[in-house]
């Protein structure tokens, strides 16, 4: 059971006290408190675990500080929607709202290689009004002898360049829990010129100890990638590990499924599941066309197949697109062949914005 408290309720208020006094009577019920920073308010939810059958939903709904009470199913306790259309979906971070209604582009380098390419990319993003990017510093590579990313050495200058170019959020993958502290330390030492969304890569979807460590901190939100070889249900349960440890500021990212089904694309594009994830959970949904399609194949209509894939996801309601760009893909140290070119950026942004507008018009069509 979840008790949603009235917005901005103070834990010293009489309404709050009344609820905790009431719940104290049930020794077999454990309470977990979760706070989410919404657009204009802080929302507090109390998760009741244990023997909740003895609780009277109507009685609790009548208590002073209670907004509503939701009975939950077993799956995705915190991130799940539980058929409650009013529950807050999404979060705010570094002044930016991420929700199941709005849309952001995170275009940038698959891997940070050198200062010049980072600066060129950020300059282009800024000149097109972009405030988010992707920058990989820790790269999980198939081959142990391949470039593994510059790691913590590059963080200070990447963050400083981001600050100079008005970037508010960088999606950055981590592969080990020690890297959380490295990122937090670099942000602090550079005076927080930007923000970081910690990315969990597809290879770590079920690395539960990493997920627990990321979930124990609430400073940085999370971009969680679907596992490329497990079911959607398993990936959603894995995302719930983050929330169960305390961090429910999570965006769920589709990035294609491994296997021969998608060949000659790198993976089978799974963006038809965008609306399904929005129905099952409260997470904003991201699509990654670069790692799904994995190349620069061009359809006979002249449009890159990765752009077609991104458009499909956004027309179906995706809230974010994570996409590889590079100023000089042939010299990129990771995933150059799938990167888009900087002179394709304005057309890409216009196309994606048009797709999101079209998605909104589809809602109007179907609500009439
Ligand atoms: C990435 O986004 O850089 C990446 C490695 O993606 P994935 O985990 O989806 O393979
Ligand atoms: Mn990559």
């Amino acid at each position: 059971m979840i008790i949603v408290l009235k917005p901005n309720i103070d834990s010293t208020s009489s309404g709050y006290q009344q609820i905790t006094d009431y719940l104290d009577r049930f020794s077999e019920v454990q309470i977990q408190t979760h706070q989410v920073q919404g657009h204009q308010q802080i929302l507090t939810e109390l998760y009741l675990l244990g023997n909740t059958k003895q609780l009277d939903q109507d009685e609790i709904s009548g208590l002073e500080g209670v907004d509503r009470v939701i009975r939950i199913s077993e799956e995705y306790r915190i991130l799940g929607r539980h058929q409650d259309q009013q529950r807050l979906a999404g979060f705010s971070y570094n002044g930016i709202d991420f929700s199941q209604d709005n849309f952001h582009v995170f275009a940038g380098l698959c891997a940070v290689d050198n200062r010049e390419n980072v600066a060129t990319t950020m300059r282009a993003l800024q000149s097109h009004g972009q405030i988010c990017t992707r920058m990989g510093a820790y790269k999980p590579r198939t081959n142990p002898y391949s470039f593994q990313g510059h790691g913590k050495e590059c963080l200070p200058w990447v963050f400083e360049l981001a600050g100079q170019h008005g970037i508010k959020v960088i999606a950055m993958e981590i592969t080990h829990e020690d890297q959380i502290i490295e990122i937090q330390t670099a942000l602090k030492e550079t005076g927080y010129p930007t923000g970081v969304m910690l990315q969990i890569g597809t290879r770590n979807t079920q690395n539960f100890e990493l997920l627990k460590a990321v979930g124990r901190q609430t400073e940085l939100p999370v971009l969680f990638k679907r596992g490329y070889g497990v079911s959607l249900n398993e990936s959603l349960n894995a995302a719930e590990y983050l929330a169960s440890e305390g961090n429910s500021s999570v965006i769920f990212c589709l990035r294609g499924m491994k296997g021969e089904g998608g060949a000659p694309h790198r993976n089978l594009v799974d963006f038809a599941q965008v609306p399904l994830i929005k129905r099952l959970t409260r997470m904003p949904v991201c699509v990654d066309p670069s790692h799904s399609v994995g190349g620069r194949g061009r359809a006979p209509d002249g449009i890159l197949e990765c752009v077609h894939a991104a458009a499909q996801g956004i027309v179906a309601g995706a809230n974010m697109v994570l996409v590889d760009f590079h100023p000089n893909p042939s010299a990129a140290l990771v995933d150059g062949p799938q990167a888009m070119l900087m002179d394709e950026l304005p057309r890409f942004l216009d196309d994606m914005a048009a797709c999101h507008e079209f998605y909104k018009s589809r809602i109007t069509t179907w609500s009439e």
Side-chain angles (χ1 to χ4, degrees):
M1 185 181 280
I2 300 175
I3 307 181
V4 183
L5 304 189
K6 299 228 165 92
N8 297 324
I9 191 165
D10 187 324
S11 61
T12 58
S13 65
S14 67
Y16 200 100
Q17 285 306 317
Q18 206 185 74
I19 299 164
T20 46
D21 289 349
Y22 178 90
L23 294 172
D24 277 348
R25 290 171 18 208
F26 302 92
S27 58
E28 291 170 36
V29 174
Q30 298 92 48
I31 311 171
Q32 261 183 22
T33 309
H34 281 259
Q35 286 200 325
V36 185
Q37 175 67 59
H39 181 44
Q40 280 163 334
Q41 56 196 28
I42 296 177
L43 210 64
T44 307
E45 296 187 333
L46 304 180
Y47 295 85
L48 308 185
L49 310 172
N51 185 5
T52 56
K53 289 205 180 65
Q54 45 181 333
L55 298 171
D56 182 332
Q57 187 165 346
D58 292 337
E59 207 169 42
I60 299 174
S61 303
L63 298 174
E64 190 189 316
V66 174
D67 188 41
R68 358 190 259 297
V69 178
I70 305 165
R71 276 263 174 218
I72 54 172
S73 50
E74 278 305 300
E75 302 224 284
Y76 336 132
R77 275 193 188 160
I78 299 168
L79 294 175
R81 180 168 280 290
H82 308 297
Q83 270 126 51
D84 182 303
Q85 301 312 330
Q86 296 168 53
R87 282 184 87 198
L88 182 72
F91 55 89
S92 288
Y93 173 63
N94 216 13
I96 304 180
D97 290 333
F98 295 92
S99 78
Q100 281 194 338
D101 302 314
N102 65 10
F103 177 66
H104 298 283
V105 178
F106 281 61
L109 302 180
C110 178
V112 169
D113 42 21
N114 61 50
R115 197 181 279 262
E116 192 189 335
N117 287 335
V118 172
T120 304
T121 305
M122 288 181 177
R123 203 176 310 117
L125 291 169
Q126 184 176 35
S127 70
H128 292 99
Q130 295 301 296
I131 51 174
C132 301
T133 188
R134 59 159 294 148
M135 289 284 152
Y138 307 95
K139 298 304 300 178
R141 304 305 303 282
T142 304
N143 184 333
Y145 306 110
S146 304
F147 173 63
Q148 305 282 313
H150 287 308
K152 72 172 179 191
E153 310 308 326
C154 71
L155 300 180
W157 58 265
V158 170
F159 294 165
E160 275 158 8
L161 281 172
Q164 286 159 22
H165 292 93
I167 299 289
K168 300 273 182 219
V169 186
I170 302 174
M172 183 175 277
E173 177 166 358
I174 59 161
T175 54
H176 190 280
E177 65 178 271
D178 291 352
Q179 296 154 0
I180 307 170
I181 307 281
E182 292 175 6
I183 290 172
Q184 286 172 330
T185 306
L187 281 173
K188 193 167 171 203
E189 286 178 359
T190 51
Y192 298 100
T194 187
V196 171
M197 186 180 283
L198 299 175
Q199 187 175 320
I200 301 292
T202 194
R203 291 159 190 79
N204 279 311
T205 300
Q206 288 188 309
N207 183 344
F208 301 121
E209 297 310 316
L210 176 64
L211 298 178
K212 285 193 234 170
V214 171
R216 280 194 290 273
Q217 62 79 43
T218 51
E219 180 190 339
L220 309 174
V222 187
L223 178 63
F224 177 87
K225 288 215 174 173
R226 175 220 188 122
Y228 56 25
V230 297
S231 69
L232 181 65
N233 178 45
E234 285 166 312
S235 291
L236 295 175
N237 268 302
E240 180 75 13
Y241 267 88
L242 298 160
S244 74
E245 292 291 326
N247 191 341
S248 54
S249 299
V250 185
I251 297 177
F252 191 89
C253 180
L254 292 169
R255 50 81 68 214
M257 297 298 288
K258 217 172 169 57
E260 288 310 301
H265 286 167
R266 185 169 170 179
N267 290 289
L268 180 64
V269 178
D270 51 357
F271 300 169
Q273 289 185 321
V274 168
L276 168 63
I277 296 159
K278 289 167 89 173
R279 167 160 70 80
L280 295 177
T281 80
R282 301 185 291 146
M283 289 181 275
V285 182
C286 173
V287 292
D288 176 344
S290 304
H291 290 82
S292 306
V293 171
R296 288 186 48 87
R298 197 180 292 277
D301 55 21
I303 302 174
L304 288 173
E305 287 151 21
C306 66
V307 175
H308 269 303
Q312 288 164 13
I314 295 159
V315 165
N319 308 108
M320 170 172 163
V321 59
L322 184 75
V323 59
D324 290 0
F325 271 79
H326 199 284
N328 180 11
S330 60
L333 298 176
V334 185
D335 282 350
Q338 71 190 26
M340 294 188 62
L341 313 176
M342 298 321 295
D343 67 6
E344 291 168 336
L345 182 67
R347 273 178 293 167
F348 180 78
L349 294 172
D350 286 352
D351 192 6
M352 297 304 110
C355 288
H356 183 61
E357 284 310 308
F358 182 57
Y359 164 67
K360 288 197 280 188
S361 77
R362 294 180 59 220
I363 301 179
T364 314
T365 304
W366 284 92
S367 65
E368 279 161 3

Coordinates of all heavy atoms in Angstrom, one line a residue, residues 274-326:
V274 N 7.5 1.7 -26.1 CA 7.5 3.0 -25.4 C 6.1 3.1 -24.6 O 6.1 3.4 -23.4 CB 7.7 4.2 -26.3 CG1 7.4 5.5 -25.7 CG2 9.2 4.2 -26.8
P275 N 5.0 3.1 -25.3 CA 3.7 3.3 -24.6 C 3.4 2.2 -23.6 O 2.8 2.6 -22.5 CB 2.6 3.2 -25.7 CG 3.3 3.0 -27.0 CD 4.8 2.8 -26.8
L276 N 3.9 1.0 -23.8 CA 3.7 0.0 -22.8 C 4.4 0.3 -21.5 O 3.9 0.1 -20.4 CB 4.2 -1.4 -23.4 CG 4.4 -2.6 -22.5 CD1 3.0 -3.0 -21.9 CD2 5.0 -3.7 -23.3
I277 N 5.6 0.8 -21.6 CA 6.4 1.1 -20.4 C 5.8 2.3 -19.6 O 5.7 2.3 -18.4 CB 7.9 1.4 -20.7 CG1 8.5 0.1 -21.3 CG2 8.7 1.9 -19.5 CD1 9.7 0.4 -22.1
K278 N 5.2 3.2 -20.4 CA 4.5 4.3 -19.8 C 3.2 3.8 -19.1 O 2.8 4.4 -18.1 CB 4.2 5.4 -20.8 CG 5.5 6.1 -21.2 CD 5.3 7.0 -22.4 CE 4.8 8.4 -22.1 NZ 4.8 9.2 -23.4
R279 N 2.6 2.8 -19.6 CA 1.4 2.2 -18.9 C 1.8 1.5 -17.7 O 1.1 1.6 -16.7 CB 0.7 1.3 -19.9 CG -0.4 0.5 -19.2 CD -1.4 -0.1 -20.2 NE -0.9 -1.1 -21.1 CZ -0.7 -2.4 -20.8 NH1 -1.0 -2.8 -19.6 NH2 -0.3 -3.2 -21.8
L280 N 2.9 0.7 -17.7 CA 3.2 -0.1 -16.6 C 4.0 0.7 -15.5 O 3.9 0.2 -14.3 CB 4.2 -1.3 -17.0 CG 3.5 -2.3 -18.0 CD1 4.6 -3.3 -18.4 CD2 2.4 -3.0 -17.3
T281 N 4.7 1.7 -15.8 CA 5.5 2.4 -14.8 C 5.3 3.9 -14.9 O 4.7 4.5 -15.9 CB 7.0 2.1 -15.0 OG1 7.5 3.0 -16.1 CG2 7.2 0.7 -15.3
R282 N 5.9 4.6 -14.0 CA 5.8 6.1 -14.0 C 7.1 6.7 -14.5 O 7.3 7.9 -14.4 CB 5.6 6.6 -12.5 CG 4.4 6.0 -11.9 CD 4.2 6.6 -10.5 NE 5.2 6.2 -9.6 CZ 5.7 6.9 -8.6 NH1 5.3 8.2 -8.5 NH2 6.5 6.4 -7.8
M283 N 8.0 5.9 -15.1 CA 9.2 6.4 -15.6 C 9.1 7.1 -17.0 O 8.4 6.6 -17.8 CB 10.2 5.3 -15.8 CG 10.7 4.7 -14.5 SD 11.9 3.4 -14.8 CE 10.9 1.9 -15.0
P284 N 9.7 8.3 -17.1 CA 9.8 8.8 -18.5 C 10.6 7.8 -19.3 O 11.4 7.0 -18.8 CB 10.7 10.1 -18.3 CG 10.6 10.4 -16.9 CD 10.4 9.1 -16.1
V285 N 10.4 7.7 -20.6 CA 11.0 6.7 -21.5 C 11.9 7.3 -22.5 O 11.5 8.3 -23.2 CB 9.9 5.8 -22.2 CG1 10.6 4.7 -23.0 CG2 9.0 5.2 -21.1
C286 N 13.1 6.8 -22.6 CA 14.1 7.2 -23.6 C 14.3 6.2 -24.7 O 14.1 5.0 -24.4 CB 15.4 7.5 -22.8 SG 16.8 7.9 -23.9
V287 N 14.6 6.7 -25.9 CA 15.0 5.7 -26.9 C 16.4 6.1 -27.4 O 16.8 7.2 -27.4 CB 14.1 5.7 -28.1 CG1 12.7 5.1 -27.7 CG2 13.9 7.1 -28.8
D288 N 17.2 5.0 -27.7 CA 18.6 5.2 -28.1 C 18.7 4.6 -29.5 O 18.9 3.4 -29.7 CB 19.6 4.5 -27.2 CG 21.0 4.6 -27.7 OD1 21.2 4.9 -28.9 OD2 21.9 4.3 -26.9
P289 N 18.5 5.4 -30.6 CA 18.5 4.8 -31.9 C 19.9 4.5 -32.4 O 20.1 3.6 -33.2 CB 18.0 6.0 -32.8 CG 18.3 7.2 -32.0 CD 18.2 6.8 -30.6
S290 N 21.0 5.1 -31.8 CA 22.3 4.8 -32.2 C 22.8 3.4 -31.9 O 23.3 2.7 -32.7 CB 23.3 5.8 -31.5 OG 23.0 7.1 -31.8
H291 N 22.5 3.0 -30.6 CA 22.9 1.6 -30.2 C 21.9 0.6 -30.7 O 22.3 -0.6 -30.6 CB 23.2 1.6 -28.7 CG 24.4 2.4 -28.3 ND1 24.4 3.7 -28.2 CD2 25.7 2.0 -28.2 CE1 25.6 4.2 -27.9 NE2 26.4 3.1 -27.9
S292 N 20.7 1.0 -31.1 CA 19.8 0.0 -31.7 C 20.2 -0.4 -33.1 O 20.4 -1.5 -33.5 CB 18.4 0.5 -31.7 OG 18.0 1.0 -30.4
V293 N 20.2 0.7 -33.9 CA 20.4 0.5 -35.3 C 21.9 0.3 -35.6 O 22.3 -0.6 -36.4 CB 19.9 1.7 -36.1 CG1 20.3 1.7 -37.6 CG2 18.4 1.8 -36.0
G294 N 22.8 1.1 -34.9 CA 24.2 0.8 -35.0 C 24.9 1.1 -36.3 O 25.8 0.3 -36.6
G295 N 24.4 2.0 -37.0 CA 25.1 2.3 -38.3 C 24.5 3.5 -39.0 O 23.6 4.1 -38.5
R296 N 25.1 3.8 -40.2 CA 24.6 5.0 -40.9 C 23.9 4.6 -42.2 O 23.9 5.3 -43.2 CB 25.7 5.9 -41.2 CG 26.2 6.7 -40.0 CD 27.3 7.7 -40.3 NE 26.9 8.6 -41.4 CZ 26.2 9.7 -41.3 NH1 25.8 10.1 -40.1 NH2 25.9 10.4 -42.3
G297 N 23.2 3.4 -42.2 CA 22.4 3.0 -43.3 C 21.4 4.0 -43.7 O 20.8 4.7 -42.8
R298 N 21.2 4.2 -45.0 CA 20.2 5.2 -45.4 C 19.1 4.6 -46.2 O 19.4 3.8 -47.2 CB 21.0 6.3 -46.2 CG 20.3 7.6 -46.4 CD 21.1 8.5 -47.2 NE 22.3 9.0 -46.6 CZ 22.4 10.0 -45.7 NH1 21.3 10.7 -45.4 NH2 23.5 10.3 -45.2
A299 N 17.9 4.8 -45.9 CA 16.7 4.3 -46.6 C 16.6 5.0 -48.0 O 17.2 6.0 -48.2 CB 15.5 4.5 -45.8
P300 N 15.9 4.3 -48.9 CA 15.8 4.9 -50.3 C 15.2 6.3 -50.2 O 15.4 7.1 -51.2 CB 14.9 4.0 -51.0 CG 15.0 2.7 -50.3 CD 15.3 3.0 -48.8
D301 N 14.4 6.7 -49.2 CA 13.9 8.0 -49.1 C 14.9 9.1 -48.7 O 14.6 10.2 -48.6 CB 12.7 8.0 -48.1 CG 13.1 7.5 -46.7 OD1 14.3 7.5 -46.4 OD2 12.2 7.1 -46.0
G302 N 16.1 8.6 -48.4 CA 17.2 9.6 -48.1 C 17.4 9.8 -46.6 O 18.3 10.5 -46.2
I303 N 16.6 9.2 -45.8 CA 16.7 9.4 -44.4 C 17.5 8.3 -43.7 O 17.3 7.1 -44.1 CB 15.2 9.5 -43.8 CG1 14.4 10.6 -44.4 CG2 15.3 9.7 -42.2 CD1 13.0 10.7 -44.0
L304 N 18.4 8.6 -42.8 CA 19.2 7.6 -42.1 C 18.2 6.7 -41.3 O 17.2 7.1 -40.7 CB 20.1 8.3 -41.1 CG 21.3 9.0 -41.7 CD1 22.1 9.8 -40.6 CD2 22.3 8.1 -42.4
E305 N 18.5 5.4 -41.3 CA 17.6 4.4 -40.6 C 17.6 4.7 -39.1 O 16.6 4.5 -38.5 CB 18.1 3.0 -41.0 CG 17.7 2.6 -42.4 CD 18.7 1.6 -43.0 OE1 19.4 0.9 -42.3 OE2 18.7 1.5 -44.3
C306 N 18.7 5.2 -38.6 CA 18.7 5.5 -37.1 C 17.7 6.7 -36.8 O 17.1 6.7 -35.8 CB 20.1 5.7 -36.5 SG 20.9 7.1 -37.2
V307 N 17.6 7.6 -37.8 CA 16.7 8.7 -37.6 C 15.3 8.2 -37.7 O 14.4 8.6 -37.0 CB 17.0 9.9 -38.6 CG1 16.0 11.0 -38.5 CG2 18.4 10.4 -38.4
H308 N 15.0 7.3 -38.7 CA 13.7 6.7 -38.8 C 13.3 6.0 -37.5 O 12.2 6.2 -37.0 CB 13.7 5.7 -39.9 CG 13.3 6.2 -41.3 ND1 12.1 6.9 -41.5 CD2 13.9 6.2 -42.4 CE1 12.0 7.2 -42.8 NE2 13.1 6.8 -43.4
A309 N 14.3 5.3 -36.9 CA 14.0 4.6 -35.7 C 13.7 5.6 -34.5 O 12.7 5.4 -33.8 CB 15.2 3.7 -35.3
A310 N 14.4 6.6 -34.4 CA 14.2 7.6 -33.4 C 12.8 8.2 -33.6 O 12.0 8.4 -32.6 CB 15.2 8.7 -33.4
A311 N 12.5 8.5 -34.8 CA 11.1 9.1 -35.1 C 10.0 8.2 -34.6 O 9.0 8.6 -34.1 CB 11.0 9.4 -36.6
Q312 N 10.2 6.9 -34.9 CA 9.2 5.9 -34.5 C 8.9 6.0 -33.0 O 7.8 6.0 -32.5 CB 9.6 4.5 -34.8 CG 9.5 4.2 -36.3 CD 10.3 2.9 -36.7 OE1 10.7 2.1 -35.8 NE2 10.6 2.8 -38.0
G313 N 10.1 6.0 -32.2 CA 9.9 6.1 -30.8 C 9.3 7.3 -30.3 O 8.4 7.3 -29.4
I314 N 9.6 8.5 -30.9 CA 9.0 9.7 -30.4 C 7.6 9.9 -30.8 O 6.8 10.4 -30.0 CB 9.9 10.9 -30.9 CG1 11.3 10.7 -30.3 CG2 9.4 12.2 -30.6 CD1 12.4 11.4 -31.0
V315 N 7.2 9.4 -32.0 CA 5.8 9.5 -32.4 C 5.0 8.6 -31.5 O 3.8 8.8 -31.3 CB 5.7 9.1 -33.9 CG1 4.2 8.8 -34.3 CG2 6.2 10.2 -34.8
A316 N 5.6 7.6 -30.9 CA 4.9 6.7 -29.9 C 5.0 7.3 -28.5 O 4.5 6.6 -27.6 CB 5.5 5.3 -30.0
G317 N 5.6 8.5 -28.3 CA 5.5 9.1 -27.0 C 6.8 9.1 -26.2 O 6.8 9.4 -25.0
A318 N 7.9 8.8 -26.8 CA 9.2 8.8 -26.0 C 9.5 10.2 -25.5 O 9.1 11.2 -26.1 CB 10.4 8.3 -26.9
N319 N 10.1 10.2 -24.3 CA 10.3 11.5 -23.6 C 11.8 12.0 -23.8 O 12.1 13.1 -23.3 CB 10.0 11.4 -22.2 CG 8.6 10.8 -22.0 OD1 8.4 9.7 -21.6 ND2 7.6 11.6 -22.3
M320 N 12.6 11.1 -24.4 CA 14.0 11.5 -24.5 C 14.6 10.7 -25.6 O 14.2 9.5 -25.8 CB 14.7 11.2 -23.1 CG 16.2 11.3 -23.1 SD 16.7 11.1 -21.4 CE 18.5 10.7 -21.7
V321 N 15.6 11.3 -26.3 CA 16.4 10.5 -27.2 C 17.9 10.7 -26.9 O 18.3 11.8 -26.7 CB 16.0 10.8 -28.7 CG1 16.2 12.3 -29.0 CG2 16.8 10.0 -29.7
L322 N 18.5 9.5 -26.8 CA 20.0 9.5 -26.5 C 20.7 9.2 -27.9 O 20.4 8.1 -28.4 CB 20.3 8.5 -25.5 CG 21.7 8.3 -25.0 CD1 22.0 9.5 -24.0 CD2 21.9 7.0 -24.2
V323 N 21.5 10.0 -28.4 CA 22.0 9.8 -29.7 C 23.5 10.2 -29.9 O 23.9 11.2 -29.3 CB 21.1 10.5 -30.8 CG1 21.0 12.0 -30.5 CG2 21.5 10.2 -32.2
D324 N 24.2 9.3 -30.6 CA 25.7 9.6 -30.8 C 25.9 10.6 -32.0 O 25.4 10.4 -33.1 CB 26.4 8.3 -31.2 CG 26.5 7.3 -30.1 OD1 26.0 7.5 -29.0 OD2 27.1 6.2 -30.4
F325 N 26.7 11.6 -31.7 CA 27.2 12.6 -32.7 C 28.7 12.6 -32.6 O 29.2 12.4 -31.5 CB 26.6 14.0 -32.5 CG 25.3 14.2 -33.2 CD1 24.1 13.7 -32.7 CD2 25.2 14.9 -34.4 CE1 22.9 13.9 -33.3 CE2 24.0 15.1 -35.1 CZ 22.8 14.6 -34.5
H326 N 29.4 13.0 -33.6 CA 30.8 13.1 -33.5 C 31.3 14.1 -34.6 O 30.9 14.0 -35.7 CB 31.6 11.8 -33.6 CG 32.9 11.8 -33.1 ND1 34.0 12.4 -33.8 CD2 33.5 11.4 -31.9 CE1 35.1 12.4 -33.0 NE2 34.8 11.7 -31.9

